Amino acid sequence: MKKLLIVLAMLSLFAVLTVACGSSGGAGSSSSSTAVHMSSTNFAEPSVTISKGSSINLINDTATTHIIGNGSWKNGSAVPATEPGAPTVSNLQISSAGEMHTIGPFNTAGTYHLYCSVHENMNLTVIVQ
Ligand SMILES: [Cu+2]
């Protein structure tokens, strides 16, 4: 009986740790998220289309530091922007290979822009419909 209790205690501790180390973005199980990969200098795709209420999951494919925010590169300059309806992303640093961050949910239909302030022309358009 005592052994069983110890096993149960360990199992529940494991469950707590698993939840704590899980999604850093806090996306609930009910909302979906779309993966957007990042190479060493750019997003793997220039734009992504998602449905209202869902999120994007930024995944760093290399050990390069990216610093993500709302806005875009225009004519060689990084231009931060505030976009009503978009989740606020401010200096989100993603440095390790395999590191992942959830941005969202995007609850308002529209076209939004994210950029990386480190890499020129590293722009992502998020179309929410
Ligand atoms: Cu970058």
Side-chain angles (χ1 to χ4, degrees), residues 1-68:
M1 190 60 195
K2 215 171 193 178
K3 241 179 195 170
L4 182 65
L5 281 175
I6 290 167
V7 168
L8 281 174
M10 284 177 73
L11 278 176
S12 57
L13 182 67
F14 179 73
V16 166
L17 286 174
T18 306
V19 168
C21 301
S23 129
S24 58
S29 55
S30 59
S31 65
S32 65
S33 60
T34 300
V36 175
H37 289 263
M38 298 183 292
S39 71
S40 57
T41 56
N42 215 333
F43 293 103
E45 58 230 298
S47 78
V48 62
T49 302
I50 61 172
S51 53
K52 212 163 73 170
S54 63
S55 305
I56 60 169
N57 219 354
L58 292 182
I59 302 165
N60 200 1
D61 285 345
T62 67
T64 312
T65 297
H66 299 287
I67 301 175
I68 310 298

